[in-house]
């Protein structure tokens, strides 16, 4: 590796933290990069020496413990190193040799802006230092304050002290020139380096597009209502289109023409079925307890505590078991489906599937919809049993009902219409949850925050659809006399 930095020495009092008070101070010249290995020995330095050999001689005597950040600073052509410790874990004070053995970053000062008023009525903007990405830029408002205070007729630049720069300086100068021209002040850019002057002239030569900057304004009430209506229309259109694609894909699956992996489908069934049993057990058992307590408070006044079995049995079998299981699955599986598909969009896996000619609906959506369609009725049937068991615990332990009497009363209260009606609702709820999760996942943006928003939207959408469907089913079952 070719070194671009040079080291010489001179006898001056040492300015770094060392064990001796005076020594030979090295003088650094050239440009120091973070990947360079600078010379590390103080005594008998020679530009012809190999920097690696000098670093080895220093490493034999000094060992650095801890992690440090290093920064070079330049003053008038000579340089020294300043250390900033991240972890104060040095076993003893570091010498100059150990400082020199560490990585060195660019030894340049931050960019600064100064100004002076030259006769007659000329404001000179002095640009100095290094304008690097990791340095803070001066505020263009300081130049604006000087323009307002001095009120010059002309402004020019002095860049003799400028070291390194990048496009950020061009943007700063462009804002400065716009401030001056906005006040009717002529600008002279001949004091800038040729490359910087050419970039600035090019930036000023291209006029800004009229509608380039977005104007912010407060929308009126009618405008907000119209935008909301248009958004609702677009959302409804995309949802109906998605439902149509799912319906066609479901037909292809029945005919055996859908392309998906059987292993993935089996895994989805396991995740939506067996792995959801613990949370369904907890929720539905507590729900049965709650329904029994609520009914007992009212029925005890009439001496009809035995009807608690009717209340819990009918409520769980007809509506509550399917409803609560669906809500649990919306928060569990619906959000997972949205996050999985959204993450695949971020990593461009969905684009890869489309490129290979594989339908995303067939490969990702249909297996999830069918998995919940099959597992939701089974989970609901299990939830019916668990909820009735929770009500029985209250009836036996709190209401002094015999287990046999409670079971007989429950069996006499429910019938097959209640059971199959609840299972049918559960299947519909499962389809709604899966469609909501997959829809929000496909609509997700390609960022981590967008994936989180998609998961949240999937849960909200799924629960809203479940409640709406429950209301519709309640009305239809009432008309059918069920």
């Amino acid at each position: 590796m070719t070194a671009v930095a040079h080291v010489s020495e001179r006898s001056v009092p040492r300015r770094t933290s060392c064990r001796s008070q005076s020594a030979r101070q090295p003088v650094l010249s050239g440009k120091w990069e973070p990947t360079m290995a600078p010379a590390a020995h103080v005594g008998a330095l020679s530009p012809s020496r190999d920097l690696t050999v000098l670093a080895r001689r220093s490493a034999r005597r000094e060992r650095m413990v801890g992690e440090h950040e290093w920064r070079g600073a330049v003053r008038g052509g000579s340089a020294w190193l300043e250390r900033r410790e991240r972890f104060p874990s040095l076993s003893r004070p570091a010498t100059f040799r150990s400082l020199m053995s560490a990585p060195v970053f660019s030894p340049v000062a931050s960019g600064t802006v100064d100004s002076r008023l030259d006769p007659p009525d000329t404001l000179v903007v002095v640009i100095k230092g290094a304008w690097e990405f990791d340095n803070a830029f001066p505020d263009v408002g300081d130049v604006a304050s000087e323009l307002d205070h001095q009120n010059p007729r002309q402004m020019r630049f002095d860049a003799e002290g400028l070291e390194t720069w990048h496009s950020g300086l061009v943007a700063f100068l462009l804002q400065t020139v716009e401030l001056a021209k906005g006040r009717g002040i002529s600008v002279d850019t001949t004091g800038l380096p040729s490359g910087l002057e050419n970039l600035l002239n090019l930036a000023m030569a291209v006029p800004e597009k009229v509608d380039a900057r977005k104007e912010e304004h407060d929308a009126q009430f009618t405008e907000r209502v119209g935008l909301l209506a248009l958004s609702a229309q677009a959302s409804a259109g995309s949802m109906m289109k998605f439902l149509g694609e799912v319906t066609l894909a479901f037909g292809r699956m029945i005919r055996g023409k859908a392309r998906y992996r059987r292993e993935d489908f089996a895994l989805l069934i396991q995740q939506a079925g067996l792995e959801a049993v613990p949370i369904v057990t907890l929720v539905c058992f507590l729900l049965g307890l709650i329904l029994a307590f609520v009914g007992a408070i009212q029925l005890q006044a009439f001496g009809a505590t035995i009807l608690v079995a009717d209340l819990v049995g009918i409520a769980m079998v007809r509506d509550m078991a399917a409803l609560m299981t669906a809500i649990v699955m919306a928060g569990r599986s619906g959000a997972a489906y949205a996050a999985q598909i959204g993450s695949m969009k971020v990593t461009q896996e969905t684009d890869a599937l489309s490129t290979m000619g594989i339908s995303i609906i067939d490969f990702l959506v249909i297996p999830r919809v069918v998995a919940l369609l099959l597992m939701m009725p089974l989970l609901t049937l299990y939830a019916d049993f668990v909820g009735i068991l929770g009500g029985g615990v209250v009836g036996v332990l709190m209401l002094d009902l015999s287990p046999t009497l409670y079971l007989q009363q429950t069996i006499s209260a429910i019938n097959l219409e209640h059971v199959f009606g609840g299972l049918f609702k559960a299947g519909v709820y499962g389809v709604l949850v899966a469609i909501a999760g997959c829809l929000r996942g496909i609509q997700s943006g390609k960022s981590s925050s967008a994936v989180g928003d998609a998961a949240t939207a999937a849960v909200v959408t799924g629960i809203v659809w479940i409640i709406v469907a429950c209301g519709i089913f309640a009305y239809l079952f009432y008309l059918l006399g069920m």
Side-chain angles (χ1 to χ4, degrees):
M1 179 176 62
T2 304
V4 297
H6 307 281
V7 180
S8 61
E9 60 178 353
R10 61 181 180 182
S11 297
V12 293
R14 181 169 297 179
R15 299 186 181 183
T16 58
S17 175
C18 304
R19 285 172 289 188
S20 59
Q21 298 298 324
S22 63
R24 302 164 73 92
Q25 177 183 357
V27 178
L28 286 75
S29 60
K31 186 173 182 180
W32 292 78
E33 299 294 340
T35 57
M36 294 177 55
H41 190 55
V42 177
L45 290 176
S46 173
S48 62
R49 285 285 188 90
D50 189 355
L51 297 179
T52 305
V53 176
L54 296 180
R56 289 175 180 172
R57 294 176 60 185
S58 174
R60 286 198 301 266
R61 299 185 179 183
E62 301 294 337
R63 187 172 70 92
M64 300 301 296
V65 180
E67 181 180 358
H68 309 278
E69 291 180 355
W70 304 84
R71 183 182 62 190
V74 174
R75 291 289 191 276
S78 64
W80 67 90
L81 297 174
E82 297 177 352
R83 181 185 64 179
R84 292 183 301 169
E85 296 187 56
R86 280 171 136 185
F87 303 99
S89 57
L90 287 178
S91 58
R92 53 177 174 164
T95 63
F96 189 78
R97 290 192 299 273
S98 61
L99 295 178
M100 292 290 291
S101 64
V104 180
F105 290 91
S106 179
V108 290
S110 301
T112 58
V113 173
D114 198 359
S115 62
R116 66 174 185 269
L117 188 64
D118 288 354
D121 297 335
T122 300
L123 181 66
V124 181
V125 179
V126 183
I127 304 172
K128 299 180 293 184
W131 293 65
E132 300 289 349
F133 284 105
D134 54 349
N135 294 335
F137 286 179
D139 188 7
V140 71
D142 298 337
V143 180
S145 301
E146 289 295 326
L147 292 175
D148 295 335
H149 178 69
Q150 302 293 344
N151 194 19
R153 295 182 180 178
Q154 186 181 11
M155 183 181 71
R156 65 182 181 89
F157 297 100
D158 181 5
E160 293 182 358
L162 180 62
E163 297 176 3
T164 58
W165 56 275
H166 61 89
S167 58
L169 178 57
V170 180
F172 177 84
L173 294 176
L174 182 61
Q175 295 177 0
T176 304
V177 171
E178 290 178 351
L179 288 175
K181 291 185 176 182
R183 292 167 171 78
I185 302 173
S186 60
V187 180
D188 182 13
T189 60
T190 56
L192 299 174
S194 58
L196 183 57
E197 184 181 6
N198 292 335
L199 286 177
L200 183 61
N201 292 333
L202 179 62
M204 293 186 298
V206 179
E208 182 179 357
K209 193 175 180 181
V210 178
D211 56 347
R213 298 185 182 183
K214 183 178 180 180
E215 297 182 359
E216 297 183 359
H217 65 282
D218 295 333
Q220 300 296 327
F221 175 75
T222 55
E223 183 179 357
R224 292 197 298 269
V225 172
L227 292 175
L228 183 61
L230 292 176
S231 177
Q233 179 185 5
S235 178
S238 62
M239 183 182 67
M240 296 303 297
K241 179 181 178 181
F242 181 78
L243 289 177
E245 293 178 351
V246 170
T247 303
L248 295 176
F250 188 74
R252 289 193 297 269
M253 183 180 185
I254 295 176
R255 297 193 305 268
K257 296 183 179 180
R259 303 178 63 183
Y260 62 92
R261 296 180 59 186
R262 271 62 179 176
E263 296 83 359
D264 292 345
F265 180 58
L267 178 62
L268 291 171
I269 288 179
Q270 177 183 345
Q271 293 174 346
L274 184 61
E275 295 182 5
V277 168
I279 185 63
V280 171
T281 302
L282 176 63
V283 171
C284 291
F285 182 80
L286 294 178
L287 181 61
L289 290 175
I290 294 171
L291 290 176
F293 276 118
V294 172
I297 294 174
Q298 302 298 325
L299 294 174
Q300 277 182 338
F302 302 97
T305 53
I306 188 60
L307 296 181
V308 170
D310 299 59
L311 172 64
V312 175
I314 295 175
M316 291 299 299
V317 172
R318 288 191 55 175
D319 286 305
M320 298 307 298
L323 180 63
M324 293 307 301
T325 303
I327 292 176
V328 169
M329 298 306 291
R332 185 182 179 277
S333 299
Y337 293 167
Q340 290 169 1
I341 298 177
S343 299
M344 294 180 70
K345 289 196 65 178
V346 173
T347 57
Q348 298 182 349
E349 295 179 54
T350 55
D351 297 336
L353 290 174
S354 300
T355 303
M356 292 186 295
I358 300 175
S359 173
I360 299 176
I361 305 298
D362 291 357
F363 194 82
L364 299 177
V365 177
I366 287 300
R368 288 167 169 80
V369 173
V370 176
L372 275 182
L373 175 62
L374 296 177
M375 290 297 104
M376 274 295 297
L378 297 179
L379 288 174
T380 301
L381 191 62
Y382 173 73
D384 293 339
F385 170 76
V386 174
I388 293 174
L389 179 62
V393 170
V394 175
V396 173
L397 299 181
M398 305 294 296
L399 303 179
D400 297 328
L401 299 176
S402 65
T404 304
L405 180 60
Y406 187 91
L407 180 59
Q408 291 177 352
Q409 187 68 25
T410 301
I411 294 175
S412 63
I414 60 177
N415 53 46
L416 290 180
E417 291 182 356
H418 298 154
V419 175
F420 286 112
L423 297 181
F424 174 76
K425 294 177 183 178
V428 175
Y429 296 159
V431 172
L432 294 178
V433 169
I435 290 178
C438 296
L439 173 63
R440 298 310 180 191
I442 291 177
Q443 293 177 344
S444 171
K446 296 185 177 181
S447 65
S448 57
S449 61
V451 174
D453 295 339
T456 303
V459 176
V460 175
T461 304
I463 293 177
V464 170
W465 287 359
I466 290 168
I467 300 300
V468 172
C470 183
I472 295 175
F473 282 138
Y475 178 71
L476 293 177
F477 279 32
Y478 171 77
L479 294 180
L480 296 174
M482 299 176 60

